[in-house]
Amino acid sequence: MKLYGVTGWKNTGKTTLTERLVAHMVTQGLRVSTVKHAHHDTEIDHPGRDSFRHRQAGAGQVLVVSPARWALMTELRDAPEPPLDAMLARLDPCDLVLIEGYKSAPHPKVETYRAEAGRDLLATRNPTIRAIAADCAVDTALPRFDLDDVPAIAALIRAELGL
């Protein structure tokens, strides 16, 4: 599995770029999976659903299976967050895993940047960032792409990973 990340500050377009990269690369015949890191208590299940009730009752894991999909939810119950490598090992084989977040992990990344976010570039202190996708000019020696130039960003990722 080849890994490439999309990182950046909050509200800079990480999810939109990741979604568009997945759609673009799938049309090119690649099998793509994603990992999304959240810094808050993420709730993917909803109160009142059977699986939610199972978790609330104390189940450590709940496996939901339907004809369309299956999902395994694991409650950490105060255990430490598993490392990225442990989570990647749970994925089925694919050509590319796009990882949203995980700023400090060692895989290569493209940074999303929006002037209105009012934050500095992460790339100035993060050597794993290989390119910037921005909505404005940025002062960097790294390759810089428009946030909407998905084909060019995808081409960079494919070239760097040999896909």
Side-chain angles (χ1 to χ4, degrees), residues 48-125:
R49 305 295 303 192
D50 294 349
S51 53
F52 183 91
R53 292 171 60 192
H54 295 185
R55 287 189 307 112
Q56 291 301 106
Q61 289 189 306
V62 177
L63 183 62
V64 180
V65 182
S66 77
R69 71 190 51 86
W70 66 269
L72 176 63
M73 293 175 281
T74 302
E75 288 296 315
L76 294 177
R77 307 261 187 240
D78 297 324
E81 178 182 329
L84 176 59
D85 287 346
M87 296 291 89
L88 291 170
R90 294 179 169 268
L91 293 176
D92 288 341
C94 62
D95 299 311
L96 172 65
V97 178
L98 287 174
I99 301 171
E100 183 181 335
Y102 285 100
K103 288 179 182 86
S104 60
H107 57 271
K109 300 168 193 69
V110 60
E111 177 180 353
T112 57
Y113 182 83
R114 288 189 186 277
E116 68 187 32
R119 304 293 301 258
D120 59 331
L121 278 174
L122 293 169
T124 61
R125 61 186 178 283

Side-chain angles (χ1 to χ4, degrees), residues 124-136:
T124 61
R125 61 186 178 283
N126 185 335
T128 66
I129 295 173
R130 307 283 175 82
I132 309 296
D135 67 348
C136 60

Side-chain angles (χ1 to χ4, degrees), residues 1-4 25-26 28-33 92-98 158 161-163:
M1 265 189 296
K2 308 257 179 147
L3 310 177
Y4 212 92
M25 291 182 165
V26 166
Q28 294 181 327
L30 294 176
R31 292 173 302 147
V32 181
S33 294
D92 288 341
C94 62
D95 299 311
L96 172 65
V97 178
L98 287 174
R158 289 188 72 154
L161 297 178
L163 291 172

